[in-house]
Amino acid sequence: MPRAAIEHPLFEQLIAFRTTYPKQTLPYDGLQWKYHISGKGKPALLLLPGGLGSGEAFFAHFMELTSRYTVIAPYYGRAEDIGQLTEGIIAIMEHEHIESFHVLGQSFGGLVAQALLSKVPHRIDRIILSHTTTASPDPAAAPSQKRIIRIRKLIRIVKMVPRSMFITVSRNKVQKHFRSMPAGEVPFWQWYFEELIRSQTKQELLAIYQCMLNLDSKPVPPVSPLFDQSNMLIIDSPADASFSEEERDAVRTQFPDADFLRFKHAGHLSIITERKQYMKEIRKFLIS
């Protein structure tokens, strides 16, 4: 482990998070659903992670938000269908006796958030879609067809390559998101994301890809027109290396009356690279 990572304050926060908020496990639908949760009795906020599928990835934000919210951060595990994934998350909320909640979905988590909104709109108070695309694409449209080809190729590659090569490729892919990060934080996040990559099994990554593939062939039903889009915030960046401009615009087209926030140079991970401003904006939105 790099000394610069150990000596960074974020490392102490990570250890404190793991000690204070250990993983909980809920058996449901033949799978083991893992998640972190803070103290109860406050408005609930569900944090949905991206493609690494780890609720712990929100550790810094989680700890900052616990004074005001009951925060829940699930793991995706081996759910291979977006419907199964949303059912598992709803089961967690019901197990914890949480009826209504806010949602923040980052990247792939933004797709899961839209699936939840489609399924249980009456239970969601405010929702933030961060650096994502639409979960209700036209399966016959060019972007969907391109994404299907890309994901099928990724699935073949992940199945074929040795785990060591898979870790190296994934690590190099993540590196591009650190370009706009404060230099002092780069060693910690480089180390931490490699830890996340190493902890995600091939089966878990393949399950995420399968969810995405299923979504392009069987999109999420449109959200009820009764949902008030003023309760939605969409966050993006033109420097996002994970979603094309066409993909980013698709979610704004779907929700034209949602609030919109753009981080000009932040890239895909403004939640980390612009953490202070990001947290200020989401707090303001959630209490407005």
Side-chain angles (χ1 to χ4, degrees):
M1 183 186 302
R3 182 174 178 179
I6 298 174
E7 293 178 346
H8 198 280
L10 284 166
F11 183 78
E12 291 184 13
Q13 286 186 39
L14 175 61
I15 299 304
F17 174 84
R18 289 174 172 173
T19 303
T20 309
Y21 306 107
K23 283 182 189 177
Q24 308 295 311
T25 302
L26 174 68
Y28 178 77
D29 193 27
L31 297 175
Q32 299 294 310
W33 298 86
K34 299 184 184 299
Y35 61 100
H36 301 279
I37 184 168
S38 67
K40 301 179 183 178
K42 303 170 186 175
L45 172 59
L46 175 65
L47 302 178
L48 298 172
L52 290 174
S54 171
E56 188 191 79
F58 285 112
F59 74 90
H61 314 83
F62 188 109
M63 296 186 75
E64 195 171 333
L65 291 161
T66 53
S67 61
R68 188 176 186 96
Y69 301 99
T70 293
V71 187
I72 308 94
Y75 293 71
Y76 297 147
R78 298 189 179 187
E80 294 186 352
D81 180 82
I82 204 82
Q84 184 184 34
L85 190 47
T86 54
E87 287 287 352
I89 292 168
I90 291 169
I92 291 171
M93 305 308 273
E94 291 180 349
H95 178 73
E96 295 294 347
H97 306 290
I98 295 170
E99 180 58 33
S100 62
F101 46 93
H102 303 303
V103 182
L104 188 162
Q106 163 67 24
S107 191
F108 175 75
L111 302 176
V112 181
Q114 292 170 66
L116 279 170
L117 183 59
S118 176
K119 192 171 187 64
V120 289
H122 58 288
R123 297 182 65 172
I124 295 177
D125 295 323
R126 311 213 92 188
I127 182 168
I128 300 167
L129 305 179
S130 176
H131 300 281
T132 191
T133 186
T134 178
S136 304
D138 176 358
S144 293
Q145 292 300 310
K146 289 178 183 177
R147 192 159 47 242
I148 288 170
I149 292 170
R150 185 172 73 240
I151 294 170
R152 284 177 175 166
K153 181 179 179 181
L154 286 169
I155 289 173
R156 288 196 300 271
I157 291 171
V158 171
K159 286 180 176 179
M160 289 170 52
V161 301
R163 177 161 174 75
S164 58
M165 185 181 298
F166 153 70
I167 290 171
T168 300
V169 170
S170 298
R171 181 178 60 226
N172 292 340
K173 186 177 178 181
V174 168
Q175 294 295 324
K176 63 187 178 185
H177 299 312
F178 297 152
R179 293 169 187 163
S180 57
M181 186 177 292
E185 292 191 3
V186 170
F188 172 81
W189 289 113
Q190 284 180 328
W191 165 78
Y192 181 63
F193 270 86
E194 181 159 346
E195 288 290 297
L196 291 181
I197 291 165
R198 289 181 181 278
S199 67
Q200 185 181 40
T201 67
K202 270 193 177 187
Q203 291 77 12
E204 289 169 344
L205 180 59
L206 287 169
I208 296 285
Y209 286 150
Q210 193 61 53
C211 278
M212 296 176 70
L213 198 59
N214 292 342
L215 197 60
D216 274 308
S217 59
K218 187 181 177 182
V220 168
V223 174
S224 168
L226 298 178
F227 176 74
D228 184 355
Q229 292 186 24
S230 68
N231 290 321
M232 176 183 288
L233 172 64
I234 297 171
I235 300 175
D236 88 349
S237 169
D240 193 327
S242 291
F243 291 105
S244 67
E245 182 179 3
E246 188 174 24
E247 289 173 314
R248 296 194 309 271
D249 286 347
V251 73
R252 291 187 67 190
T253 300
Q254 185 179 356
F255 302 108
D257 297 322
D259 286 353
F260 179 69
L261 174 64
R262 169 161 284 176
F263 286 93
K264 189 173 182 181
H265 302 295
H268 187 63
L269 294 176
S270 66
I271 193 168
I272 292 176
T273 59
E274 300 284 347
R275 188 170 70 253
K276 186 175 180 179
Q277 186 62 30
Y278 190 102
M279 294 297 287
K280 179 182 176 181
E281 294 292 344
I282 67 166
R283 280 199 210 91
K284 183 171 67 175
F285 173 73
L286 290 175
I287 65 174
S288 63

